[in-house]
Amino acid sequence: MHVGLIVGIGPAATDYYYRLLIAAAARAGVALELTMSHADVSTLLRHQAAGDVQAQVEVYLRLAERLARAGAQQIAVTSIAGHFCIDAFKAVSPRPVIDLLQVMRADLQARGLQRVGLLGTRGVMASRFYGVLDGVDVIAPVDDLLDVHEAYAAMASAGIATPAQREVFMRAGRSLTREHGCEAVLLAGTDLALVFGPDDDPGFPVLDCAAIHAAVIARTALQSP
């Protein structure tokens, strides 16, 4: 199946999704049908901060129509911050949307987790993952929320993580698990793969939302049209 991705928000997440999808297709021995369309991370963060759902939906709609013309049969947005307007976008998208929020709600239900922490942008953390994780106690950083947001926004825009930014995320993650009793910390920002690699041990359990979302996109892409 031909899948379309709205990417660029941020650049490291684009690369991460792309590599995961290529690897999944290679393992399956299937040619990947994929088209990507670029959105601007600074524009997204501005719209999210202002709560301007309509402005960001208009951006997505223009890109989704481009993807549909290219032959995409389903569409995904490679940004958790970018899901602040996902319901409004799904209502007008020319193709079905593989919604990361719904993917994560199903995943946490399957795992039986009751209490999770969040690392990501202020909008994602303050909204407790947009309020979609029914039956789960969702905890945002308390003292570190603004530091985490600023570190994340800078990292996402630059596509690299500095040692100082890494320490912000590690400190917040340790606090969420050790002081607030979280069973796991959701990497609720798709660029956090820059900090939490598959072979890294941060000292607390994490769930990589981008990798879980990408796995669902891959399964969709590997289906017959």
Side-chain angles (χ1 to χ4, degrees):
M1 181 177 293
H2 188 160
V3 171
L5 299 183
I6 295 177
V7 301
I9 40 180
T14 301
D15 178 72
Y16 189 51
Y17 272 82
Y18 192 28
R19 290 179 183 275
L20 290 172
L21 292 172
I22 288 172
R27 287 192 300 270
V30 176
L32 183 64
E33 290 284 344
L34 175 68
T35 301
M36 296 187 287
S37 193
H38 177 78
D40 177 63
V41 64
S42 298
T43 300
L44 166 65
L45 291 174
R46 185 173 67 251
H47 290 163
Q48 185 200 35
D52 197 339
V53 167
Q54 185 58 38
Q56 191 61 36
V57 167
E58 289 173 2
V59 172
Y60 286 167
L61 182 57
R62 174 173 53 83
L63 299 177
E65 289 172 343
R66 185 181 301 167
L67 291 168
R69 289 194 298 271
Q73 296 161 282
Q74 296 210 38
I75 290 171
V77 177
T78 63
S79 165
I80 301 175
H83 276 64
F84 82 98
C85 60
I86 200 69
D87 286 341
F89 171 53
K90 285 161 63 176
V92 298
S93 174
R95 296 291 185 269
V97 177
I98 305 169
D99 181 347
L100 181 150
L101 303 184
Q102 300 308 314
V103 166
M104 287 308 304
R105 180 164 67 176
D107 186 84
L108 293 187
Q109 289 174 346
R111 294 175 190 269
L113 295 180
Q114 299 297 312
R115 188 177 179 88
V116 299
L118 294 179
L119 297 177
T121 63
R122 176 169 42 204
V124 174
M125 295 185 293
S127 68
R128 304 299 195 271
F129 210 73
Y130 303 117
V132 303
L133 300 180
D134 300 335
V136 180
D137 195 6
V138 183
I139 310 300
V142 179
D143 298 327
D144 298 323
L145 190 145
L146 183 57
D147 289 342
V148 170
H149 168 79
E150 291 179 346
Y152 186 86
M155 178 184 69
S157 296
I160 58 172
T162 67
Q165 290 162 354
R166 290 174 184 272
E167 179 53 31
V168 168
F169 300 130
M170 295 299 174
R171 183 176 68 243
R174 290 192 295 267
S175 175
L176 287 166
T177 52
R178 299 175 188 177
E179 299 173 23
H180 298 280
C182 294
E183 300 166 86
V185 174
L186 300 190
L187 304 184
T190 47
D191 290 87
L192 284 167
L194 289 168
V195 176
F196 298 89
D199 299 322
D200 295 332
D201 180 9
F204 50 89
V206 299
L207 288 177
D208 185 345
C209 298
I212 294 167
H213 188 213
V216 174
I217 296 169
R219 289 198 295 272
T220 301
L222 301 180
Q223 294 173 0
S224 298

